[in-house]
Amino acid sequence: METILLELLQGFQVIFTPAGFGFLMLGVIAGIAFGATPGISPSTGVALLVPFSYSMPPAVAFVFFVAAYQAANYGGSITAISINAPGTPAAIVTAIDGYELTKQGKPGLALGTAVIASALGGFIGALILILLARPLAGLGLLFGPAEYFSLTLFALTTVIGFSTKNRLKTCTAILLGLLLATIGTDPFSGNLRFTLGLSGLYDGVPLIPAMIGLFALAEIFSQIESNLELKKISTFSGKLPGVNTLLKLKWAILRSSVLGTLIGIIPGAGATIASFISYGEARRFSKKKELFGRGSLEGITSSEAANSSSVGGALVPLLSLGIPGSATDAVLLGAFSLHGLTAGPELFKSSPEIVYGIFSALLAANLLILVFGLAGNALWLKLISIPQGLLYPLVIVLCITGSYTVNGTFFDSGLCLAFGVFGWLLKRNGYPLAPLVMALVLGSMLEMNLRRVLLMGGIKLLFVKPISAVLLTVALLAVALPLIRKKPYLTP
Amino acid sequence: MSFTKIYFTFLTVILLAPATLLAEYPERPVKIVVYTAPGGLIDITARKVADILKKNFVKTPVIVENKKGAGGVTALSYVLRRPADGYTLFGVTNSLITKITALNQDSRLKKLTFLAKMVKDYECLITRKNSGISNLNDLINDAKQKNGAQLWAGPAAGGKDHLFALKSWKAFGIKARWIPYRSGAEALVAVMGSHADVYVGNPADTAGRENLKILAVSSSNRLPTFSDVPTFGELGFNTLTNEAIWRGFAIRADAPDSIKQSVKDLLKKVSSTKEWQEKKKKNYAVPIFETGKPLLDCILAEIKRRKAFSG
């Protein structure tokens, strides 16, 4: 314990230099901005920063990256809650209850809960990383194709619980998402599938334009259709959650943070799966299940704590094994070699100032996220208090430019619009959109791992491997139990 | 001659002088386009080249631009859309050539002139230290015993690593299964976690990962940093020698010949700097400088090999 404190002190020496602290702050601010911009995911955001770091001392560069990485995972919640445009894939889950609260006129409550849950979650994730990186490293390696398939399937079944009305329609939405996920280059043979000769579809349906279209644009289209009266500013409450409210959420935060960190450790699972599974679990444990999907603070908490804590988790395999735990870690891995370093256990010996710089940057970044986040909330509240007649055109512009920024092509902007119309049509017929997007996100993971299982030894592997078997059983129960219950709590 | 006339003549001379008399490439910023995100191998190579150029040889900025997506087609289209003035370079690798060929877009490669190959990463076979396979012979025996069920992990089928695997199975006289992963890193994790037996990669893949072991490498002589790793040639598999992933640079074919030559000279200068040679050694890659016909032949062979795979 003493040695860890001493080593951390070494890390804090990096942060307490003018350059170190400056880039820590800059990283947090840039990260929040990236996260909040639909179109820039945490990995893209960090990738944008990498070229600027070329002439920085490596220890400062990594403080910068890690601060941005952590902050971007929080930033996604801002636009998810205020305008239903999740800035990151993980924030899809936050949007479900967060935007609901905004519609009820309580955006302050949702935004405040999101900041606090993110900062605490991120902090817990960082602590687990610092204390247990070495012993937990092996956890990620336990996951092979069978385990990944079952984990993904489990995440997908939690989605079925999201629907408050019609299970059949939820399942249809999931299947639609899975179908869309088959578009693109076949990951095994390299052949093109259903791309219609459009090179914009070679890498599959671009996730971010699809997500923004289905959520934000579809929402605006339905609002326009329903021709709601323009809400007045005074109907919005900027009130932040009180201490009592927060104390009630303590177990949800703790549970989701631990779960998020553990899922983060599994390479490739990442923030999105962490948020979805944690949301499903929060609902299972909750005393107020009926509130989920209708503005539950536990829902927002579970999603935000989980995706923020997954950052610390995902750094476990990167630092202790040299393998990336998430898409952002893959960017960091590249950044290491750009700076002439090699990620992995050697780093603890060869450049401890970098490892401990990363550790202390994570801890400090979460503190700054809390400060900047709470201060920034006033700004976001102002933004959504704009009359809808002005706000909606702004959001539409943001969606279209945001889609453009992903790959710098207008094809993606067009696709975003098309998905907006598609989402609006689905919505008006009562099909939920979150399950569709979730299936689109997880589809290729599900497909590739199932195909690997089949290549490696057949379907029986799914049931023979213990972790996989347990996950499959839980998934089955998650679907079956509510159906068996006499009075399903889901029907309104 | 009126004053105005003299003035204009003077002005014309002043304005044209830099363009005609002092024209030495590059006069404007140079852009290097790469097809991966920042941190990809070719991106790191391109940034190092840009850095050395700026420090030693050119006065204008050299900018690296990342255009990822669609297996390199996005970057290729972008380069071909830019003016043929020689101010846009394209970072290329043989994986890129294989991918473009797999997407049936190889005819567009003719619109490029390949200037030079600058770095080489030899192919090698990697396993876990505690897997019970401690040398190539063990691997071959294990494969024979498993009778086609030995698992080889790597990127998508038809890629450079898969083609190397097929070639080595033929050389060893074994059968095995290719398990494709989205990226090399993911495949490596599968080998580290005992979910697959062998990974086809490069020596650099073992850097910082304690529990990995290289069985054999395809260089013709042992690599200085891995002096205990035998070459395929030593073990009697000469057909597997000199298989490598390489990285280099190309330019639009219709760019002026004089500029092509200038760029080639600049790249040559970069490759002979001490900084370049040392950096590459640190990254376990081998610095080379290959150009002209040998390079072209190598590219044509690459395209032919990928086409033969598709049938």
Side-chain angles (χ1 to χ4, degrees):
Chain A
M1 193 67 203
E2 256 173 60
T3 48
I4 290 179
L5 283 178
L6 275 177
E7 285 157 349
L8 265 184
L9 211 62
Q10 200 184 346
F12 276 106
Q13 280 170 357
V14 179
I15 297 182
F16 289 134
T17 57
F21 192 72
F23 278 106
L24 177 75
M25 282 223 296
L26 206 63
V28 168
I29 294 170
I32 295 179
F34 287 149
T37 311
I40 304 183
S41 57
S43 58
T44 320
V46 175
L48 285 174
L49 300 180
V50 169
F52 291 105
S53 75
Y54 207 63
S55 53
M56 285 183 205
V60 175
F62 281 91
V63 165
F64 188 36
F65 299 150
V66 165
Y69 180 14
Q70 181 76 71
N73 271 286
Y74 152 66
S77 70
I78 298 169
T79 29
I81 292 170
S82 37
I83 53 175
N84 202 29
T88 58
I92 297 169
V93 191
T94 314
I96 298 172
D97 286 295
Y99 185 65
E100 201 57 42
L101 277 176
T102 301
K103 280 206 284 195
Q104 293 166 17
K106 291 181 272 191
L109 198 60
L111 286 167
T113 310
V115 178
I116 293 162
S118 292
L120 285 175
F123 202 81
I124 295 173
L127 277 183
I128 298 179
L129 165 73
I130 294 166
L131 298 174
L132 299 169
R134 284 302 189 103
L136 283 178
L139 182 72
L141 292 181
L142 292 176
F143 274 67
E147 289 81 5
Y148 276 116
F149 173 80
S150 304
L151 178 75
T152 319
L153 195 71
F154 174 47
L156 214 51
T157 55
T158 63
V159 180
I160 298 178
F162 290 4
S163 86
T164 41
K165 288 169 197 128
N166 194 327
R167 268 164 201 282
L168 198 64
K169 285 187 174 171
T170 308
C171 292
T172 313
I174 292 178
L175 289 177
L176 264 175
L178 289 177
L179 269 178
L180 285 171
T182 59
I183 294 176
T185 312
D186 181 319
F188 275 37
S189 66
N191 294 329
L192 296 175
R193 301 189 300 205
F194 318 119
T195 55
L196 311 170
L198 301 166
S199 68
L201 292 175
Y202 281 10
D203 297 329
V205 173
L207 189 61
I208 290 170
M211 191 174 87
I212 306 173
L214 286 170
F215 276 83
L217 283 186
E219 173 65 24
I220 290 178
F221 294 156
S222 350
Q223 294 278 358
I224 294 171
E225 187 187 31
S226 62
N227 208 4
L228 281 178
E229 292 212 1
L230 293 188
K231 270 189 195 122
K232 279 178 203 141
I233 300 167
S234 59
T235 58
F236 274 126
S237 155
K239 221 179 115 219
L240 293 171
V243 178
N244 281 334
T245 321
L246 288 173
L247 277 177
K248 276 186 210 145
L249 295 171
K250 62 181 183 291
W251 295 117
I253 290 181
L254 191 67
R255 196 185 326 107
S256 308
S257 303
V258 173
L259 201 59
T261 316
L262 291 179
I263 295 172
I265 292 175
I266 302 164
T272 315
I273 294 191
S275 276
F276 272 96
I277 290 186
S278 162
Y279 185 89
E281 290 309 298
R283 191 167 166 282
R284 201 194 308 274
F285 280 97
S286 174
K287 291 190 188 89
K288 292 178 187 159
K289 293 188 175 65
E290 69 284 355
L291 274 182
F292 278 74
R294 301 205 177 90
S296 161
L297 287 183
E298 281 173 287
I300 297 174
T301 305
S302 61
S303 162
E304 280 307 301
N307 68 47
S308 287
S309 63
S310 77
V311 172
L315 286 168
V316 168
L318 183 72
L319 294 175
S320 50
L321 299 169
I323 53 181
S326 67
T328 315
D329 281 347
V331 176
L332 290 179
L333 194 68
F336 273 116
S337 37
L338 204 65
H339 282 276
L341 300 160
T342 309
E346 268 177 22
L347 204 62
F348 283 83
K349 287 175 221 142
S350 61
S351 329
E353 78 283 2
I354 291 182
V355 178
Y356 300 109
I358 289 177
F359 286 174
S360 36
L362 271 183
L363 293 175
N366 282 300
L367 203 69
L368 287 180
I369 287 169
L370 197 63
V371 175
F372 287 131
L374 288 175
N377 274 353
L379 212 81
W380 311 126
L381 285 170
K382 271 224 175 81
L383 176 79
I384 39 179
S385 309
I386 300 173
Q388 283 158 333
L390 291 173
L391 181 64
Y392 287 168
L394 271 178
V395 176
I396 294 175
V397 169
L398 187 71
C399 291
I400 291 177
T401 49
S403 303
Y404 176 81
T405 45
V406 183
N407 293 313
T409 59
F410 285 110
F411 177 80
D412 289 351
S413 301
L415 204 72
C416 174
L417 271 177
F419 269 104
V421 175
F422 182 52
W424 166 65
L425 288 174
L426 287 174
K427 229 175 151 128
R428 106 194 266 259
N429 290 299
Y431 290 92
L433 297 176
L436 192 158
V437 177
M438 175 72 170
L440 181 62
V441 175
L442 298 182
S444 74
M445 246 181 107
L446 207 62
E447 181 204 333
M448 287 183 76
N449 284 304
L450 183 62
R451 284 171 73 182
R452 273 179 212 134
V453 167
L454 295 177
L455 269 175
M456 285 176 160
I459 201 95
K460 65 172 187 294
L461 278 185
L462 292 177
F463 309 102
V464 177
K465 302 236 171 184
I467 298 179
S468 164
V470 169
L471 285 168
L472 277 184
T473 316
V474 182
L476 188 72
L477 289 178
V479 181
L481 275 185
L483 294 178
I484 300 167
R485 274 186 201 155
K486 260 187 192 164
K487 197 181 160 198
Y489 49 75
L490 290 169
T491 36
Chain B
M1 210 182 250
S2 73
F3 175 75
T4 347
K5 233 178 183 175
I6 295 172
Y7 177 77
F8 273 107
T9 321
F10 180 70
L11 202 68
T12 319
V13 170
I14 292 277
L15 286 178
L16 287 180
T20 50
L21 297 173
L22 303 170
E24 190 190 335
Y25 181 90
E27 304 162 66
R28 296 185 274 117
V30 178
K31 188 178 262 186
I32 306 180
V33 177
V34 297
Y35 69 96
T36 67
L41 285 176
I42 181 68
D43 174 74
I44 294 172
T45 307
R47 282 179 202 279
K48 195 71 211 170
V49 168
D51 190 42
I52 295 180
L53 275 176
K54 274 184 287 189
K55 268 196 281 191
N56 307 305
F57 306 115
V58 304
K59 291 190 184 72
T60 60
V62 182
I63 306 147
V64 175
E65 189 170 354
N66 304 81
K67 283 277 169 195
K68 66 181 172 80
V73 173
T74 311
L76 176 65
S77 306
Y78 179 69
V79 168
L80 295 178
R81 268 204 313 273
R82 309 244 336 140
D85 55 4
Y87 282 84
T88 304
L89 308 186
F90 187 20
V92 291
T93 65
N94 51 349
S95 323
L96 173 80
I97 291 164
T98 311
K99 279 180 197 160
I100 301 264
T101 312
L103 292 168
N104 283 324
Q105 307 236 3
D106 47 298
S107 57
R108 293 172 77 196
L109 292 173
K110 286 184 195 130
K111 295 180 185 160
L112 295 173
T113 299
F114 291 86
L115 296 169
K117 208 194 252 192
M118 292 182 71
V119 197
K120 220 172 183 180
D121 266 319
Y122 284 107
E123 294 276 21
C124 65
L125 299 181
I126 299 173
T127 54
R128 282 183 311 290
K129 271 188 182 150
N130 56 359
S131 64
I133 294 174
S134 56
N135 55 45
L136 194 60
N137 227 357
D138 288 353
L139 180 81
I140 295 173
N141 289 334
D142 181 67
K144 286 186 176 151
Q145 202 190 336
K146 284 183 179 156
N147 196 19
Q150 192 179 60
L151 304 177
W152 289 45
K160 183 73 189 141
D161 293 330
H162 181 219
L163 297 180
F164 178 74
L166 291 175
K167 201 169 165 183
S168 56
W169 295 348
K170 206 171 154 195
F172 304 152
I174 59 169
K175 278 186 203 143
R177 271 180 220 163
W178 184 254
I179 314 290
Y181 281 82
R182 258 186 311 191
S183 66
E186 269 185 35
L188 202 58
V189 176
V191 172
M192 288 168 90
S194 316
H195 306 287
D197 303 305
V198 193
Y199 173 70
V200 178
N202 313 106
D205 291 322
T206 59
R209 290 157 186 156
E210 296 169 330
N211 62 348
L212 291 177
K213 183 184 170 57
I214 305 177
L215 295 178
V217 62
S218 80
S219 51
S220 32
N221 296 308
R222 288 193 180 200
L223 297 173
T225 19
F226 296 92
S227 54
D228 54 336
V229 174
T231 65
F232 284 111
E234 268 175 59
L235 300 167
F237 302 105
N238 281 320
T239 50
L240 300 178
T241 299
N242 222 354
E243 289 278 345
I245 303 279
W246 55 258
R247 304 186 276 287
F249 295 91
I251 199 166
R252 270 186 69 156
D254 45 357
D257 285 335
S258 60
I259 287 190
K260 282 185 199 165
Q261 192 55 45
S262 307
V263 179
K264 210 186 277 183
D265 292 344
L266 282 172
L267 293 176
K268 172 89 188 153
K269 279 186 196 164
V270 168
S271 80
S272 51
T273 56
K274 211 173 159 197
E275 189 182 351
W276 176 261
Q277 300 280 336
E278 267 167 17
K279 166 84 181 173
K280 291 302 141 197
K281 213 156 96 194
K282 208 172 161 194
N283 287 349
Y284 307 96
V286 183
I288 47 162
F289 196 80
E290 203 176 298
T291 182
K293 189 157 180 336
L295 174 61
L296 192 66
D297 286 346
C298 158
I299 289 162
L300 292 175
E302 212 79 66
I303 295 174
K304 205 172 141 196
R305 188 159 147 193
R306 183 58 181 83
K307 290 220 151 141
F309 174 78
S310 306

